[in-house]
Amino acid sequence: MSTPFYVSPQQAMADRAEYARKGIARGRSLVVLQFADGIVFVGENPSRALHKFSEIYDRIGFAAAGKYNEYENLRIGGVRYADLRGYTYDRDDVTARGLANVYAQTLGTIFSSAAEKPYEVELVVAEVGETPEGDQIYRLPHDGSIVDEHGSVAVGGNAEQISTYLDQRHQEGMTLAEALKLAVQALSRDTNGSEREIPAERLEVAVLDRTRPQKRKFRRITGGQLSRLLDAANGGGTEDAGSEDAE
């Protein structure tokens, strides 16, 4: 009788983590940055239907890199959690921290379960406050840990290189156009250090805008509005982000 093959728990977890990291790295990078009036989400996404960024609740946005079907299931679960909590208690009781805790429990349970593969996703949950000091950004890797981020964060693809670039250049009080320009510059850098051009039609951009009079602070920036912002960022025009609310 042959001896059963043994793998130590440490090695099994290391293998699962490596599997998840490789899956996430195959996706395109995205960045989330604070600016003077809120939080901006920027990513390269040729699809107009399969979004990387979504609204979860009034002041909360969701960003994800990795396998679409897996993070879409998590997004839907987050929306249901937020709706139920807001209805049962109060809308102000729905917070990014509470949502991040729910996602962390889900991801952690799946990662440590030997019965199924780990999710190949990395999430960002962001909440815009009344002031920049009240903004919250949480990054959730595949293993369910929670990282409290400040200023900027990158996930997916070559996130480590992009994060280093953003950390060196991101500043408090940036305008939306300045933050968008920095995000596009960071995403345009390849792993070998060279730069490429990302056309506006391949960008997905959304913001949590604290200056919006509506309760819902999330909106997408598309079409002519995005082109004008990019022109303003490159010195070709004036910044005008409020004339077209796509969502």
Side-chain angles (χ1 to χ4, degrees), residues 36-134:
D37 292 332
I39 300 171
V40 61
F41 304 76
V42 186
E44 184 179 359
N45 184 9
S47 173
R48 296 277 71 93
L50 307 180
H51 296 302
K52 292 176 176 288
F53 314 132
S54 299
E55 177 185 35
I56 296 292
Y57 211 60
D58 294 344
R59 312 177 69 89
I60 302 174
F62 170 94
K67 293 194 71 172
Y68 176 81
N69 65 312
E70 293 179 347
Y71 68 68
E72 179 65 6
N73 285 335
L74 292 169
R75 182 194 68 82
I76 293 171
V79 171
R80 290 172 177 166
Y81 160 84
D83 282 344
L84 179 60
R85 187 167 184 82
Y87 177 77
T88 306
Y89 300 100
D90 187 86
R91 299 184 76 89
D92 292 337
D93 290 328
V94 183
T95 64
R97 184 173 64 179
L99 183 63
N101 286 333
V102 172
Y103 281 143
Q105 292 173 16
T106 302
L107 288 171
T109 300
I110 293 171
F111 180 75
S112 59
S113 171
E116 56 184 320
K117 77 172 188 64
Y119 271 16
E120 300 168 58
V121 298
E122 190 166 10
L123 312 180
V124 176
V125 177
E127 178 179 356
V128 66
E130 297 291 343
T131 64
E133 291 73 22

Side-chain angles (χ1 to χ4, degrees), residues 173-196:
M174 300 177 79
T175 66
L176 177 56
E178 290 170 342
L180 179 59
K181 179 180 180 180
L182 176 60
V184 174
Q185 287 175 338
L187 293 170
S188 300
R189 300 180 67 83
D190 290 325
T191 54
N192 59 9
S194 61
E195 294 187 15
R196 58 193 176 87

Side-chain angles (χ1 to χ4, degrees), residues 7 21 23-24 49 56 93 104 109 111 124 145 150 158 186 202 205 239 245 247:
V7 178
R21 280 194 293 265
I24 296 167
I56 296 292
D93 290 328
T109 300
F111 180 75
V124 176
S145 56
H150 299 278
N158 56 327
R202 291 183 64 87
V205 180
E239 179 180 346
D245 277 357
E247 182 173 310

Side-chain angles (χ1 to χ4, degrees), residues 158-218:
N158 56 327
E160 185 174 347
Q161 176 184 338
I162 292 174
S163 293
T164 301
Y165 184 88
L166 292 175
D167 290 341
Q168 295 171 348
R169 292 164 177 81
H170 182 265
Q171 299 176 352
E172 294 184 3
M174 300 177 79
T175 66
L176 177 56
E178 290 170 342
L180 179 59
K181 179 180 180 180
L182 176 60
V184 174
Q185 287 175 338
L187 293 170
S188 300
R189 300 180 67 83
D190 290 325
T191 54
N192 59 9
S194 61
E195 294 187 15
R196 58 193 176 87
E197 183 178 354
I198 304 177
E201 57 268 19
R202 291 183 64 87
L203 288 173
E204 181 181 354
V205 180
V207 295
L208 290 169
D209 185 354
R210 80 176 95 255
T211 65
R212 278 191 107 191
Q214 300 97 321
K215 278 186 173 291
R216 297 173 61 184
K217 304 302 181 182
F218 182 93

